[in-house]
Amino acid sequence: MKVVVLADTHAPRRWKSCPPAVAEHLRGADLILHAGDVCTADVLVELSAYAPVHAVLGNNDGPDVAAWGAPETLELDLGGLRVAMIHDSGQAAGRTARMRRRFPEAGLVVFGHSHIPMDLTGDGVRVFNPGSPTDRRRQPYGTIGILDVERGALRRAEIVPVTRPA
């Protein structure tokens, strides 16, 4: 199962429509996860044209994103892999232990908020932040995440640049 992971698209200020480099990865996706700060439900509708979408609320998301169906946290079973989603995982210190306590059944926690791509394992859980495809802040590239899930296991997790270097 190919899962494309997005966060912090910040539409319409940053995301006017799906960037071509992002769309390239969305084609052929089996599932799309959005870790919040969509800012308008129109983005989720746009993404739904590519594959089913699961999203959580970010601190910049309005009532239309909640009405679309995005909760504050979400737990999913992706073919046997337990995945949890939250927008803000808190400060870096103690993150994996905190996410293990918050989502004790999850093997993978997807989050956003910082715009800093991250793939880290500790305390019995893997945490994954795809960064932002449209608002890279101090990062060299805008990024998304690609997960390859097979037979209940995360076979591959990759942070993929979708913009040119700053």
Side-chain angles (χ1 to χ4, degrees):
M1 172 185 305
K2 177 184 176 183
V3 181
V4 176
V5 185
L6 302 165
D8 300 289
T9 47
H10 291 276
R13 188 171 54 102
R14 298 284 185 176
W15 175 291
K16 307 297 184 202
S17 65
C18 187
V22 175
E24 180 180 321
H25 292 284
L26 292 171
R27 290 185 201 97
D30 297 301
L31 186 68
I32 300 166
L33 303 179
H34 197 300
D37 275 2
V38 180
C39 300
T40 175
D42 293 344
V43 172
L44 300 172
V45 172
E46 181 181 16
L47 293 173
S48 295
Y50 292 95
V53 177
H54 293 282
V56 292
L57 289 171
N59 57 298
N60 289 299
D61 290 329
D64 67 323
V65 177
W68 179 88
E72 289 190 21
T73 64
L74 185 62
E75 295 186 60
L76 306 163
D77 184 317
L78 301 185
L81 175 66
R82 298 289 303 164
V83 177
M85 292 175 59
I86 189 167
H87 179 62
D88 185 354
S89 67
Q91 65 184 10
R95 178 176 284 132
T96 54
R98 192 170 48 256
M99 291 299 99
R100 168 52 61 221
R101 287 190 303 275
R102 178 90 185 248
F103 303 107
E105 302 300 315
L108 175 68
V109 177
V110 172
F111 69 102
H113 189 61
S114 69
H115 299 218
I116 300 170
M118 175 184 298
D119 183 6
L120 178 69
T121 301
D123 299 295
V125 67
R126 189 170 186 171
V127 295
F128 187 82
N129 183 332
S132 172
T134 54
D135 188 6
R136 59 179 183 75
R137 294 196 179 156
R138 294 169 298 283
Q139 303 306 304
Y141 303 96
T143 55
I144 64 170
I146 306 289
L147 307 176
D148 181 16
V149 180
E150 185 180 320
R151 295 187 196 131
L154 181 58
R155 299 287 179 212
R156 180 178 62 98
E158 184 179 2
I159 303 292
V160 179
V162 292
T163 63
R164 295 175 193 224

